[in-house]
Amino acid sequence: STQSTWGHFLSVYFFSPRAMERIRLAATSKEREQYDNMADLYSIVVTLEHLEKAFIRDAIASEEYDTACRGFISKYRTLQPLIAEYVPNLDAFMREYRMSCPAAKARLEKGVSAVTEFGGGGGGGGGGSGNASLILQIGQYFITLMDCLKLEQVAVDQLHPHLSDLVDAVNRCDPDFIGKPRLLKWMTKMNSMAASEELDAEATRQCLFDLETTYNEFHKRLQRA
């Protein structure tokens, strides 16, 4: 009968041991790690997009946004070398999974929060005694970076941490510092490179020139304060 035939179909195709087996995306631990890393990247991009829109709409305080944004950028930078083998760049990943997250993409490429990029996060301003230790740190960050370039330590993973510290410190001291865009330009460039990539001779020379120029501007700013 039709009923018995249908019952047999259900028993064979839906209740057989084969049908009840758990579907696995990964056959090996390496593949499983790959899927986990890609899921982490997807989550970072989507969540950061919501964060950027919340900040634009004044739905989140600058300090809270800045802290959260730095966290996502740091996670992204940490994840990059782990996924480089199968995610060559963020553009390719977003195209493959049809992600429309332009704000998150721009923020990850720049490598700094909107507060750091545009100011408005309650920077210290002036050069009073309260900022003495911060000003000293900024000088040390400039010198460390310039020494790295002069010693031909020009890999991204050698320069980026120092540059990130410098941009952060400059922003806390003076969000509207005239030389900050020059530093952000190099942040954006390094964020587009793999950790193991190196600046070539021309880029190294230009970076050193930009740092020296910005360092001198910072000293002039302190003298005028």
Side-chain angles (χ1 to χ4, degrees):
S1 66
T2 302
Q3 186 174 2
S4 61
T5 302
W6 180 243
H8 177 69
F9 174 83
L10 288 176
S11 66
V12 171
Y13 290 97
F14 287 90
F15 299 105
S16 66
R18 181 179 180 82
M20 295 296 286
E21 286 181 0
R22 183 178 179 180
I23 298 175
R24 296 182 178 179
L25 293 175
T28 66
S29 59
K30 183 177 181 180
E31 288 181 356
R32 184 162 56 251
E33 181 181 3
Q34 175 179 335
Y35 283 119
D36 287 344
N37 289 337
M38 292 172 71
D40 288 339
L41 177 58
Y42 190 97
S43 176
I44 288 170
V45 173
V46 171
T47 309
L48 184 55
E49 180 74 12
H50 288 298
L51 180 67
E52 290 292 306
K53 289 181 177 178
F55 181 64
I56 291 170
R57 296 166 183 162
D58 289 327
I60 184 172
S62 294
E63 296 79 6
E64 187 179 356
Y65 158 80
D66 191 47
T67 300
C69 188
R70 289 170 188 272
F72 285 121
I73 292 172
S74 178
K75 290 176 182 177
Y76 173 68
R77 293 291 301 178
T78 302
L79 193 59
Q80 274 186 307
L82 303 179
I83 60 176
E85 182 181 349
Y86 41 88
V87 179
N89 56 68
L90 187 58
D91 272 333
F93 180 82
M94 293 179 69
R95 283 197 304 270
E96 181 176 356
Y97 293 98
R98 299 179 181 180
M99 302 178 71
S100 179
C101 300
K105 178 177 177 292
R107 187 58 51 213
L108 291 172
E109 287 177 346
K110 290 175 180 177
V112 294
S113 73
V115 170
T116 299
E117 183 179 7
F118 301 113
S129 59
N131 281 331
S133 62
L134 182 57
I135 290 169
L136 180 60
Q137 283 183 338
I138 290 171
Q140 290 173 338
Y141 293 145
F142 268 115
I143 292 170
T144 299
L145 266 171
M146 291 188 287
D147 284 346
C148 284
L149 294 170
K150 291 173 182 177
L151 294 171
E152 299 184 355
Q153 297 174 1
V154 293
V156 170
D157 58 359
Q158 292 174 313
L159 298 173
H160 190 279
H162 300 304
L163 181 59
S164 180
D165 287 339
L166 174 59
V167 171
D168 176 47
V170 166
N171 189 66
R172 283 187 285 129
C173 182
D174 182 3
D176 300 319
F177 172 52
I178 191 173
K180 191 171 72 172
R182 206 177 288 118
L183 302 176
L184 293 175
K185 177 189 72 174
W186 286 103
M187 281 285 289
T188 300
K189 179 177 178 60
M190 291 186 196
N191 281 327
S192 69
M193 301 169 66
S196 59
E197 285 188 78
E198 297 184 349
L199 299 182
D200 60 24
E202 182 180 353
T204 299
R205 184 174 180 177
Q206 185 63 50
C207 186
L208 183 58
F209 175 79
D210 287 347
L211 284 171
E212 289 175 342
T213 302
T214 310
Y215 184 50
N216 291 332
E217 287 175 347
F218 186 73
H219 269 287
K220 290 178 182 178
R221 169 203 172 278
L222 293 179
Q223 291 169 0
R224 292 193 301 267

